[in-house]
Amino acid sequence: MDWITTVDHKKIAILYLLAGGLFFGIGGFEAILIRIQLIKPMNTFLDAQTFNELITMHGTTMIFLGVMPVIFALMNAVIPLQIGARDVAFPFLNALGFWTFLFGGILLNLSWVMGGAPDAGWTAYTPLSTSTYSTTHGVDFYTIGLQIAGLGTLIGGINFLATIITMRAPGMSFMRMPMFAWTTFITSAIILFAFPAITVGLVLLTFDRIIGANFFEVGAGGNPILWQHIFWIFGHPEVYILILPAFGIISEVIPTFARKRLFGYSSMVFATILIAFLGFMVWAHHMFTTGLGPVANALFSVSTMLIAVPTGIKIFNWLLTMWGGQVRFTTPNLFAVGFIPTFTMGGVTGVMLASAPADFQFHDTYFVVAHFHYVIVGGLVLGLFAGLHYWWPKMFGRMLSEKLGKWTFWTFILGFHLTFFVQHFLGLMGMQRRVFTYLPNQHFDVLNLVSTIGAFLMGVGMIIFLTNIVLTFRKPADAAADPWEDGRTLEWSIPSPPPEYNFKQTPLVRGIDAFWKEKTAGHTGMTPAEPVGSIHMPSATILPFLMSVGIFIAGLGFMFSRDEFKSDFVGFMFNHYLVTAIGLLITFGSMLMRSLFDDQGWHIEPEELEGEQI
Amino acid sequence: MMKTWQAVKRLLPMTAIFGLILAGCGREDLSVLRPQGPAAETSLGLMKLSITIMVVVLLIVFSIAAYVIIRFRRKPGQQEIPKQVEGNFKLEVLWTVIPLILVVVLAIPTVKAVFAAGNDHANDKNAIKVKVTGHQFWWEFEYTDYGVKTAQDLVIPKGKDIAFELTTADVLHSFWVPSLSGKIDTNPAGTINRFSFSAPNEGVYRGKCAELCGPSHGLMEFKVKSVSEDAFNQWIASMKSPVAVLPEDPELAKTFKNQCLKCHAVGDQGLAVGPNLTGIGSREAIAGILLNDDTGVDGAPIEENLKTWLHDPQSVKPGNLMPNPKDLGLSDAEIDGIAAYLANYKLD
């Protein structure tokens, strides 16, 4: 009950981590099935339809339900602490964001047991995703599930924007903000602009499929290319929503374990902003072969290549951060250092893809599969591993085992390169992506086998990581406030895990790497910016959970509104939109409750604070 | 730790080279790395340029990384705080300007090639005009100047520019012959694409569909046969002349006409809703994927392939629109008879 009603950002972080971990596991399992099917030519392990459902769900799950929540988990766990705040700006909304994400994700995955998963690829290109060619409810689960989950992401993004703009500790100007806070800020801004685009697209596609609209239906004058534009106007910035937080994590981990401040801080900030800006300008590089014509292709080629410049700045700044430092190879830093060459490899293939006439060959082949897995797994997932190992003691008060952590790193990164490096060559040798099988004697066999073996090795790495977590929880929670000893930012100045109110007294920030600055000045803690006083806390509430349940029911009701049911009663309920109405009633009723009953929250009094050892 | 890390660093390029040797860069009739025509050569040229630039970048990043990791490890007992460096304006400008220059170096030939690829030969009198239509899960080729329609095997005269006009009858597909040219999508009417390639050498090249189009997307293959100009003209002539096409056995001919020709066409008979079967005995494959090969190395004899297909089309290509002949009331003997007839239905 405590967990369903919580509005504490630290607990919501753990909820995000659990849910994200669950979906990540599902997505990973789907990946293993895909790789087993492709282990040899003309394999019959899976049939074509199931394979297409698996690739669709693997992509969709990993992007929307696997890595995004883990990013949100780290943001929730760390951002208020890093900027010296007691919570996020809107704790109620924070909980709402989590629950809508979770119920959207559950809805999407229900498709496996409720008559067919989506099968049109994670990009859901029309007309394949229209009801003419995708006749199960699969794509409905996709459109409605993602709308609900996307709501959560949008809410989260807006919340972080408000938090970072308004709740920084005294003295923390924007240019003294830690890099992870910066990338979270920019990521949230991208979410704010990109997610409405996909939501519009999903609504239009839902209308096409469920109430017979004709936005994309060719026979009735709809335009399928429109979907591609809408999708990629969201879809390309999405890549930066994913990778920028990883950049932020790397920018935190490397300075800590090099014992040096981040090299070129201001250029890092501007590179981040520039990447976000350019990220919105290049969506059509996913559409070079759609036939947009040479002018569009040339413009999008060149603008895409430009992204390499700010990204390159970041790579060299990280390397120079280590230069002259005292680099310690703890598990988080292993992942961070492993990230640099791996992500660079993904970056350079990105530049190669940007050249449109070369992309005519790369597009929709395993070369592309290799490229974006280098970016998303070799970049983002390695970054998340670094971040999780780094902040684990802060989140849970326990250090993960270094020995198992190192095993995780080596098995995972070796498995990763084994899986995806060879896929570049598969693509160049003529293997297109999203194929459920391939003919023998095309020189694809050996490389596919190697790739599958690598995938299993990555799976082993994940299992070692899970083992590490389980073993760690059997140990007492005794991590130090600054367990890595060289913590630089504010979160390391408070106990692990932090008390409910984070900071007894809001700290005074006197420069970049605020805590490090105090430590080098010979202080043991931060200088407070305020006297000890009564701390206002938000009340726990079940309303966000109920609102999400309502939307979930409404979504299911809408989706099945045109179906025929055996039972007349059930049919009546669905066909007259009564189920939808009940769901919406729950949601709007909860909103009304929230508006009518004013909740002032509660206070922690100074006497209680004094009683604790801080 | 360090040693293992270095070992990985050394292993990476080795795996790369090993991978390449292992693969031998792929088949000549399929691999992007072994181009057989000018369009594919342009693409490969740009790839070579970009990969050279990128490998140089990678080498620089890897060597700095390796140096930093080895040189600046924290030694036991090292306690003094390293100098906190804010940044270095000159260095940062340096690694902004150098990538910019590299981008320009790559951007110029890219833009040139983009505009060259935009030249579609649609108004070129010497080009062979072919209308390509993608279907779930087969390809239709119409030679508009000759009034010839065929399926799955695209026959072209060597060295001539082929001007394609591409569209789809259902969902999006993507027309791709890796060794001859990059791919282009087939969009529904209203957003028709045009492009062009040529094959200077005679040969058979493997083509694929590169856009997810349903269950059998991975099996939607086709062949491009580049032949001499004479052979091409002869092929066109025999496709046009209505040769005797029906099975010799009148009973079988009746069944074939009543059942098969409702969707298929042979010569001037039947409807061409499904793939046109004229001269199917001369094709490279059945259903695009059952390769016709009498030696049995890379497939099976054509009659055997036809039997495989006709006895259960769904198991060969899941989700295709061909009804199972058995469901149409054909007996096993009739199916085998039609397979034998089609296998021998060759063009002169």
PDB file of all heavy atoms in Angstrom, chain B residues 14-38:
ATOM      1  N   MET B  14      40.995  -7.323 -34.840  1.00  0.00           N
ATOM      2  CA  MET B  14      41.268  -8.674 -35.321  1.00  0.00           C
ATOM      3  C   MET B  14      39.978  -9.403 -35.680  1.00  0.00           C
ATOM      4  O   MET B  14      39.902 -10.059 -36.712  1.00  0.00           O
ATOM      5  CB  MET B  14      42.027  -9.455 -34.253  1.00  0.00           C
ATOM      6  CG  MET B  14      43.342  -9.997 -34.772  1.00  0.00           C
ATOM      7  SD  MET B  14      44.205 -10.867 -33.487  1.00  0.00           S
ATOM      8  CE  MET B  14      43.218 -12.346 -33.346  1.00  0.00           C
ATOM      9  N   THR B  15      38.986  -9.240 -34.799  1.00  0.00           N
ATOM     10  CA  THR B  15      37.687  -9.871 -35.116  1.00  0.00           C
ATOM     11  C   THR B  15      37.162  -9.303 -36.424  1.00  0.00           C
ATOM     12  O   THR B  15      36.562 -10.004 -37.215  1.00  0.00           O
ATOM     13  CB  THR B  15      36.638  -9.587 -34.018  1.00  0.00           C
ATOM     14  OG1 THR B  15      37.223  -8.849 -32.993  1.00  0.00           O
ATOM     15  CG2 THR B  15      36.014 -10.849 -33.515  1.00  0.00           C
ATOM     16  N   ALA B  16      37.401  -7.995 -36.611  1.00  0.00           N
ATOM     17  CA  ALA B  16      36.919  -7.353 -37.827  1.00  0.00           C
ATOM     18  C   ALA B  16      37.533  -8.023 -39.053  1.00  0.00           C
ATOM     19  O   ALA B  16      36.827  -8.431 -39.975  1.00  0.00           O
ATOM     20  CB  ALA B  16      37.265  -5.871 -37.808  1.00  0.00           C
ATOM     21  N   ILE B  17      38.869  -8.120 -39.026  1.00  0.00           N
ATOM     22  CA  ILE B  17      39.565  -8.694 -40.177  1.00  0.00           C
ATOM     23  C   ILE B  17      39.152 -10.154 -40.359  1.00  0.00           C
ATOM     24  O   ILE B  17      38.833 -10.610 -41.447  1.00  0.00           O
ATOM     25  CB  ILE B  17      41.097  -8.573 -39.982  1.00  0.00           C
ATOM     26  CG1 ILE B  17      41.483  -7.101 -39.984  1.00  0.00           C
ATOM     27  CG2 ILE B  17      41.842  -9.334 -41.059  1.00  0.00           C
ATOM     28  CD1 ILE B  17      42.794  -6.795 -39.328  1.00  0.00           C
ATOM     29  N   PHE B  18      39.117 -10.855 -39.223  1.00  0.00           N
ATOM     30  CA  PHE B  18      38.702 -12.258 -39.249  1.00  0.00           C
ATOM     31  C   PHE B  18      37.315 -12.378 -39.876  1.00  0.00           C
ATOM     32  O   PHE B  18      37.083 -13.213 -40.750  1.00  0.00           O
ATOM     33  CB  PHE B  18      38.707 -12.795 -37.818  1.00  0.00           C
ATOM     34  CG  PHE B  18      38.432 -14.266 -37.736  1.00  0.00           C
ATOM     35  CD1 PHE B  18      39.266 -15.192 -38.348  1.00  0.00           C
ATOM     36  CD2 PHE B  18      37.336 -14.733 -37.040  1.00  0.00           C
ATOM     37  CE1 PHE B  18      39.016 -16.546 -38.275  1.00  0.00           C
ATOM     38  CE2 PHE B  18      37.069 -16.080 -36.946  1.00  0.00           C
ATOM     39  CZ  PHE B  18      37.912 -16.998 -37.570  1.00  0.00           C
ATOM     40  N   GLY B  19      36.424 -11.478 -39.445  1.00  0.00           N
ATOM     41  CA  GLY B  19      35.058 -11.496 -39.975  1.00  0.00           C
ATOM     42  C   GLY B  19      35.058 -11.325 -41.482  1.00  0.00           C
ATOM     43  O   GLY B  19      34.352 -12.016 -42.203  1.00  0.00           O
ATOM     44  N   LEU B  20      35.896 -10.396 -41.930  1.00  0.00           N
ATOM     45  CA  LEU B  20      35.944 -10.123 -43.373  1.00  0.00           C
ATOM     46  C   LEU B  20      36.439 -11.322 -44.163  1.00  0.00           C
ATOM     47  O   LEU B  20      35.857 -11.706 -45.177  1.00  0.00           O
ATOM     48  CB  LEU B  20      36.869  -8.930 -43.641  1.00  0.00           C
ATOM     49  CG  LEU B  20      36.172  -7.584 -43.615  1.00  0.00           C
ATOM     50  CD1 LEU B  20      37.192  -6.465 -43.728  1.00  0.00           C
ATOM     51  CD2 LEU B  20      35.173  -7.488 -44.763  1.00  0.00           C
ATOM     52  N   ILE B  21      37.528 -11.935 -43.661  1.00  0.00           N
ATOM     53  CA  ILE B  21      38.081 -13.094 -44.356  1.00  0.00           C
ATOM     54  C   ILE B  21      37.037 -14.209 -44.378  1.00  0.00           C
ATOM     55  O   ILE B  21      36.784 -14.840 -45.395  1.00  0.00           O
ATOM     56  CB  ILE B  21      39.366 -13.589 -43.652  1.00  0.00           C
ATOM     57  CG1 ILE B  21      40.444 -12.515 -43.764  1.00  0.00           C
ATOM     58  CG2 ILE B  21      39.848 -14.892 -44.257  1.00  0.00           C
ATOM     59  CD1 ILE B  21      41.630 -12.733 -42.875  1.00  0.00           C
ATOM     60  N   LEU B  22      36.430 -14.391 -43.205  1.00  0.00           N
ATOM     61  CA  LEU B  22      35.415 -15.407 -43.041  1.00  0.00           C
ATOM     62  C   LEU B  22      34.315 -15.237 -44.086  1.00  0.00           C
ATOM     63  O   LEU B  22      33.835 -16.172 -44.695  1.00  0.00           O
ATOM     64  CB  LEU B  22      34.820 -15.250 -41.651  1.00  0.00           C
ATOM     65  CG  LEU B  22      34.434 -16.504 -40.914  1.00  0.00           C
ATOM     66  CD1 LEU B  22      35.663 -17.344 -40.657  1.00  0.00           C
ATOM     67  CD2 LEU B  22      33.791 -16.108 -39.594  1.00  0.00           C
ATOM     68  N   ALA B  23      33.938 -13.996 -44.259  1.00  0.00           N
ATOM     69  CA  ALA B  23      32.803 -13.722 -45.111  1.00  0.00           C
ATOM     70  C   ALA B  23      33.207 -13.635 -46.573  1.00  0.00           C
ATOM     71  O   ALA B  23      32.386 -13.828 -47.452  1.00  0.00           O
ATOM     72  CB  ALA B  23      32.166 -12.409 -44.675  1.00  0.00           C
ATOM     73  N   GLY B  24      34.469 -13.341 -46.829  1.00  0.00           N
ATOM     74  CA  GLY B  24      34.906 -13.160 -48.201  1.00  0.00           C
ATOM     75  C   GLY B  24      34.126 -12.065 -48.887  1.00  0.00           C
ATOM     76  O   GLY B  24      33.923 -12.069 -50.088  1.00  0.00           O
ATOM     77  N   CYS B  25      33.643 -11.101 -48.086  1.00  0.00           N
ATOM     78  CA  CYS B  25      32.886  -9.952 -48.588  1.00  0.00           C
ATOM     79  C   CYS B  25      31.562 -10.346 -49.238  1.00  0.00           C
ATOM     80  O   CYS B  25      30.900  -9.534 -49.837  1.00  0.00           O
ATOM     81  CB  CYS B  25      33.679  -9.125 -49.598  1.00  0.00           C
ATOM     82  SG  CYS B  25      35.157  -8.441 -48.885  1.00  0.00           S
ATOM     83  N   GLY B  26      31.184 -11.588 -49.142  1.00  0.00           N
ATOM     84  CA  GLY B  26      29.864 -11.972 -49.638  1.00  0.00           C
ATOM     85  C   GLY B  26      29.841 -12.400 -51.086  1.00  0.00           C
ATOM     86  O   GLY B  26      30.860 -12.401 -51.776  1.00  0.00           O
ATOM     87  N   ARG B  27      28.667 -12.785 -51.543  1.00  0.00           N
ATOM     88  CA  ARG B  27      28.497 -13.274 -52.910  1.00  0.00           C
ATOM     89  C   ARG B  27      28.550 -12.135 -53.916  1.00  0.00           C
ATOM     90  O   ARG B  27      28.055 -11.051 -53.655  1.00  0.00           O
ATOM     91  CB  ARG B  27      27.148 -13.967 -53.043  1.00  0.00           C
ATOM     92  CG  ARG B  27      27.013 -15.272 -52.320  1.00  0.00           C
ATOM     93  CD  ARG B  27      25.580 -15.749 -52.405  1.00  0.00           C
ATOM     94  NE  ARG B  27      25.210 -16.046 -53.784  1.00  0.00           N
ATOM     95  CZ  ARG B  27      24.912 -17.270 -54.217  1.00  0.00           C
ATOM     96  NH1 ARG B  27      24.939 -18.288 -53.386  1.00  0.00           N
ATOM     97  NH2 ARG B  27      24.588 -17.466 -55.458  1.00  0.00           N
ATOM     98  N   GLU B  28      29.096 -12.445 -55.081  1.00  0.00           N
ATOM     99  CA  GLU B  28      29.220 -11.433 -56.123  1.00  0.00           C
ATOM    100  C   GLU B  28      27.841 -10.935 -56.583  1.00  0.00           C
ATOM    101  O   GLU B  28      27.664  -9.792 -56.941  1.00  0.00           O
ATOM    102  CB  GLU B  28      29.974 -12.037 -57.304  1.00  0.00           C
ATOM    103  CG  GLU B  28      30.635 -11.010 -58.173  1.00  0.00           C
ATOM    104  CD  GLU B  28      31.559 -11.672 -59.171  1.00  0.00           C
ATOM    105  OE1 GLU B  28      31.159 -12.706 -59.741  1.00  0.00           O
ATOM    106  OE2 GLU B  28      32.673 -11.159 -59.368  1.00  0.00           O
ATOM    107  N   ASP B  29      26.854 -11.827 -56.554  1.00  0.00           N
ATOM    108  CA  ASP B  29      25.532 -11.449 -57.061  1.00  0.00           C
ATOM    109  C   ASP B  29      24.655 -10.838 -55.980  1.00  0.00           C
ATOM    110  O   ASP B  29      23.473 -10.633 -56.180  1.00  0.00           O
ATOM    111  CB  ASP B  29      24.834 -12.678 -57.664  1.00  0.00           C
ATOM    112  CG  ASP B  29      24.665 -13.797 -56.643  1.00  0.00           C
ATOM    113  OD1 ASP B  29      25.206 -13.664 -55.537  1.00  0.00           O
ATOM    114  OD2 ASP B  29      23.993 -14.790 -56.966  1.00  0.00           O
ATOM    115  N   LEU B  30      25.231 -10.560 -54.800  1.00  0.00           N
ATOM    116  CA  LEU B  30      24.397 -10.130 -53.692  1.00  0.00           C
ATOM    117  C   LEU B  30      25.038  -9.037 -52.843  1.00  0.00           C
ATOM    118  O   LEU B  30      24.339  -8.196 -52.282  1.00  0.00           O
ATOM    119  CB  LEU B  30      24.091 -11.362 -52.808  1.00  0.00           C
ATOM    120  CG  LEU B  30      23.318 -11.145 -51.525  1.00  0.00           C
ATOM    121  CD1 LEU B  30      21.911 -10.651 -51.846  1.00  0.00           C
ATOM    122  CD2 LEU B  30      23.206 -12.460 -50.755  1.00  0.00           C
ATOM    123  N   SER B  31      26.371  -9.024 -52.776  1.00  0.00           N
ATOM    124  CA  SER B  31      27.014  -8.188 -51.768  1.00  0.00           C
ATOM    125  C   SER B  31      27.160  -6.741 -52.217  1.00  0.00           C
ATOM    126  O   SER B  31      27.520  -6.454 -53.353  1.00  0.00           O
ATOM    127  CB  SER B  31      28.386  -8.759 -51.434  1.00  0.00           C
ATOM    128  OG  SER B  31      29.037  -7.895 -50.544  1.00  0.00           O
ATOM    129  N   VAL B  32      26.903  -5.833 -51.284  1.00  0.00           N
ATOM    130  CA  VAL B  32      27.133  -4.412 -51.513  1.00  0.00           C
ATOM    131  C   VAL B  32      28.614  -4.145 -51.755  1.00  0.00           C
ATOM    132  O   VAL B  32      28.988  -3.218 -52.466  1.00  0.00           O
ATOM    133  CB  VAL B  32      26.656  -3.630 -50.262  1.00  0.00           C
ATOM    134  CG1 VAL B  32      27.046  -2.172 -50.336  1.00  0.00           C
ATOM    135  CG2 VAL B  32      25.153  -3.788 -50.075  1.00  0.00           C
ATOM    136  N   LEU B  33      29.460  -5.005 -51.158  1.00  0.00           N
ATOM    137  CA  LEU B  33      30.906  -4.786 -51.225  1.00  0.00           C
ATOM    138  C   LEU B  33      31.508  -5.234 -52.544  1.00  0.00           C
ATOM    139  O   LEU B  33      32.684  -5.025 -52.795  1.00  0.00           O
ATOM    140  CB  LEU B  33      31.587  -5.512 -50.070  1.00  0.00           C
ATOM    141  CG  LEU B  33      31.136  -5.045 -48.686  1.00  0.00           C
ATOM    142  CD1 LEU B  33      31.631  -5.988 -47.611  1.00  0.00           C
ATOM    143  CD2 LEU B  33      31.601  -3.629 -48.429  1.00  0.00           C
ATOM    144  N   ARG B  34      30.702  -5.902 -53.381  1.00  0.00           N
ATOM    145  CA  ARG B  34      31.214  -6.334 -54.693  1.00  0.00           C
ATOM    146  C   ARG B  34      30.279  -5.813 -55.779  1.00  0.00           C
ATOM    147  O   ARG B  34      29.558  -6.568 -56.410  1.00  0.00           O
ATOM    148  CB  ARG B  34      31.319  -7.859 -54.727  1.00  0.00           C
ATOM    149  CG  ARG B  34      32.153  -8.387 -53.564  1.00  0.00           C
ATOM    150  CD  ARG B  34      32.211  -9.873 -53.537  1.00  0.00           C
ATOM    151  NE  ARG B  34      33.082 -10.403 -54.587  1.00  0.00           N
ATOM    152  CZ  ARG B  34      33.354 -11.692 -54.716  1.00  0.00           C
ATOM    153  NH1 ARG B  34      32.819 -12.571 -53.894  1.00  0.00           N
ATOM    154  NH2 ARG B  34      34.141 -12.099 -55.673  1.00  0.00           N
ATOM    155  N   PRO B  35      30.313  -4.498 -56.008  1.00  0.00           N
ATOM    156  CA  PRO B  35      29.338  -3.877 -56.906  1.00  0.00           C
ATOM    157  C   PRO B  35      29.502  -4.346 -58.348  1.00  0.00           C
ATOM    158  O   PRO B  35      30.610  -4.566 -58.815  1.00  0.00           O
ATOM    159  CB  PRO B  35      29.648  -2.389 -56.786  1.00  0.00           C
ATOM    160  CG  PRO B  35      31.045  -2.316 -56.324  1.00  0.00           C
ATOM    161  CD  PRO B  35      31.284  -3.531 -55.475  1.00  0.00           C
ATOM    162  N   GLN B  36      28.369  -4.511 -59.021  1.00  0.00           N
ATOM    163  CA  GLN B  36      28.380  -4.987 -60.415  1.00  0.00           C
ATOM    164  C   GLN B  36      27.804  -3.944 -61.364  1.00  0.00           C
ATOM    165  O   GLN B  36      27.522  -4.249 -62.514  1.00  0.00           O
ATOM    166  CB  GLN B  36      27.560  -6.281 -60.526  1.00  0.00           C
ATOM    167  CG  GLN B  36      28.001  -7.369 -59.576  1.00  0.00           C
ATOM    168  CD  GLN B  36      29.410  -7.850 -59.884  1.00  0.00           C
ATOM    169  OE1 GLN B  36      29.767  -8.045 -61.039  1.00  0.00           O
ATOM    170  NE2 GLN B  36      30.220  -7.998 -58.843  1.00  0.00           N
ATOM    171  N   GLY B  37      27.594  -2.734 -60.860  1.00  0.00           N
ATOM    172  CA  GLY B  37      27.060  -1.695 -61.739  1.00  0.00           C
ATOM    173  C   GLY B  37      27.418  -0.333 -61.202  1.00  0.00           C
ATOM    174  O   GLY B  37      27.837  -0.197 -60.053  1.00  0.00           O
ATOM    175  N   PRO B  38      27.260   0.714 -62.046  1.00  0.00           N
ATOM    176  CA  PRO B  38      27.704   2.063 -61.658  1.00  0.00           C
ATOM    177  C   PRO B  38      27.000   2.601 -60.412  1.00  0.00           C
ATOM    178  O   PRO B  38      27.634   3.256 -59.590  1.00  0.00           O
ATOM    179  CB  PRO B  38      27.391   2.923 -62.881  1.00  0.00           C
ATOM    180  CG  PRO B  38      26.610   2.086 -63.818  1.00  0.00           C
ATOM    181  CD  PRO B  38      26.749   0.662 -63.414  1.00  0.00           C
TER     182      PRO B  38
END
